[in-house]
Amino acid sequence: MPRMPLVFLVLLTVAGPAAAQDHSQHSAHVGKESREVKALADTEVAELLAGEGMGLALAAELNAYPGPRHVLDHATELDLTDAQRQAAQQIFDAMQARARSLGERIVEAERQLDGLFANRTVDSNRLRELTAAAGALRGELRFVHLQAHLETTALLSDHQVHLYDMVRGYRQHGGH
C-alpha cells in the first residue's frame, strides 16, 4: 500500500471520532434560531394559516370517521349524492374557515411568546397566560377538525364509510 493513503487512513481513524464528537455536541435545534417563530417550522406556520388538518383528526380518520376533504376527493368512488356533496362541501368550508382563524391566532400566540423571550421581558404570569391561551387554541383547532369528521360521517351510509376506508387503504375487503 502506498505511504500517502496509509497516512491518510491513520489520520481519519484518529481524527474521525474527534470530529464526530465535536459535531454531536451541537443541539438538534441549530438553525431554528433564525425562524420567524422559533417554536414553529415554516411548514407548520403555512399549514396553520391554510387551515390544514396536520393529523389532528387521526383519532377519527383511522377509526372509520371520514373527513370532508377526502370524502369530496373520493365522491365518485363513494357514489355521493348531490345533497351529500353539497353538505360535505359546507362542512369542509366551515371547518377550514374556523381552522384558518384559529391557526392565525395560534401563530400569533407563538409569536408573542417568542417575543417575550427574545426581548427578555418574560415573567411567570405572562408566560402562564400565553401558554394556556396557545394550548386552548390548539385544543379548539383539534376539536374543529374532529367535529368535521363527526358531521361528515353522519352524512354517509355504512356502506359509504366502508368504501371510504377501502379507498383510503385503511382496510381491505374484510372488516375494520
Side-chain angles (χ1 to χ4, degrees):
M1 180 178 257
R3 178 167 252 191
M4 187 60 106
L6 181 58
V7 170
F8 184 68
L9 182 60
V10 170
L11 284 174
L12 276 179
T13 304
V14 173
Q21 185 179 20
D22 244 4
H23 180 69
S24 68
Q25 292 177 9
H26 289 284
S27 169
H29 303 299
V30 170
K32 295 178 182 177
E33 67 277 8
S34 62
R35 291 178 177 172
E36 181 184 348
V37 180
K38 308 291 187 283
L40 300 174
D42 293 343
T43 54
E44 289 175 287
V45 171
E47 289 170 342
L48 285 164
L49 296 178
E52 293 181 15
M54 304 176 302
L56 293 172
L58 284 176
E61 177 74 14
L62 299 178
N63 283 297
Y65 283 82
R69 171 74 282 144
H70 298 302
V71 163
L72 291 167
D73 290 344
H74 299 290
T76 302
E77 296 99 312
L78 301 178
D79 196 26
L80 293 186
T81 65
D82 288 340
Q84 286 175 313
R85 282 180 201 241
Q86 185 178 31
Q89 187 66 57
Q90 289 172 346
I91 293 168
F92 176 77
D93 291 345
M95 175 203 67
Q96 192 170 48
R98 184 79 176 117
R100 282 180 177 160
S101 173
L102 288 164
E104 289 171 8
R105 292 171 60 197
I106 291 167
V107 170
E108 182 54 33
E110 292 292 345
R111 186 175 283 126
Q112 287 179 23
L113 187 60
D114 187 55
L116 289 178
F117 281 95
N119 296 324
R120 304 191 94 54
T121 58
V122 65
D123 64 58
S124 291
N125 290 334
R126 187 69 176 131
L127 180 60
R128 179 166 305 284
E129 181 183 301
L130 276 176
T131 55
L137 288 168
R138 286 181 181 273
E140 182 64 19
L141 179 62
R142 188 165 189 213
F143 170 80
V144 165
H145 283 285
L146 287 165
Q147 179 66 26
H149 281 251
L150 190 62
E151 292 172 9
T152 302
T153 302
L155 299 174
L156 305 175
S157 70
D158 290 344
H159 179 69
Q160 286 171 314
V161 171
H162 179 82
L163 287 174
Y164 177 88
D165 278 355
M166 287 179 56
V167 168
R168 298 282 290 157
Y170 302 140
R171 69 164 102 180
Q172 301 307 315
H173 298 289
H176 207 245

